[in-house]
Amino acid sequence: MAYVREIVFGGILLFVAALFQNTALLTIAGVKPNVVLVALVLLAFSASHFFVYIVFVIGGIIFLRFSPGSDPALLAIAGIACAVFFVKEWFPWKEMVNCLAVIILGTLAFYLLTGFSFLWHDPFTIAMEIAYNTVIGAAFYPFFRWIFAFRS
């Protein structure tokens, strides 16, 4: 039963993240954060098992894509999210710092996989998005830990 509750809470959080990402509500100075990627990283640090996390990844992709077909950006997010679940333990710092480091690396990996030339043409925007994603991750990390504390 704990898995069902975990999936429901995570699904609601991902749905809200996708709503924010699919609107211009969080856009600041033309920079829009990758809220779903941040939420998936936070969920990687909160999910109890890989199976539960895969449900989150699939849900996040479904919430971002409402029409049939594949999108390289969605595949990149799914691949990065799956990698995050396994590499999160490799970082030597406290869990919150590890989470923020993974958000930074995940954002960079997203652009390396989807828009490599964007890194060279507009590094300021990438830096702003990394900062924005990191601030969102830092702000919501305690909330995600609190929401998923029932597992302990």
Side-chain angles (χ1 to χ4, degrees):
M1 188 65 172
Y3 294 135
V4 173
R5 190 164 55 171
E6 186 175 357
I7 290 170
V8 169
F9 285 143
I12 291 169
L13 293 171
L14 274 172
F15 181 73
V16 171
L19 285 176
F20 278 112
Q21 187 161 331
N22 288 324
T23 64
L25 195 61
L26 294 179
T27 303
I28 296 176
V31 178
K32 191 174 187 181
N34 196 336
V35 186
V36 171
L37 180 63
V38 171
L40 285 171
V41 169
L42 292 170
L43 287 167
F45 282 84
S46 304
S48 59
H49 289 85
F50 185 66
F51 167 75
V52 173
Y53 186 64
I54 284 296
V55 172
F56 293 151
V57 172
I58 292 168
I61 298 305
I62 290 170
F63 291 147
L64 285 176
R65 181 73 175 189
F66 296 107
S67 60
S70 65
D71 182 357
L74 296 178
L75 295 174
I77 288 175
I80 292 165
C82 288
V84 163
F85 190 83
F86 294 108
V87 302
K88 67 183 180 182
E89 302 297 326
W90 295 357
F91 294 89
W93 310 294
K94 294 188 179 220
E95 190 176 77
M96 183 173 180
V97 176
N98 291 346
C99 185
L100 298 178
V102 170
I103 289 171
I104 292 167
L105 294 174
T107 304
L108 280 173
F110 177 76
Y111 282 106
L112 285 172
L113 293 172
T114 61
F116 184 75
S117 62
F118 195 61
L119 288 170
W120 305 115
H121 294 291
D122 202 357
F124 180 75
T125 301
I126 302 293
M128 291 298 295
E129 184 175 336
I130 288 171
Y132 201 179
N133 288 349
T134 305
V135 167
I136 290 172
F140 284 96
Y141 176 84
F143 177 71
F144 273 67
R145 297 305 294 165
W146 177 73
I147 286 289
F148 291 97
F150 63 82
R151 285 188 294 110
S152 307

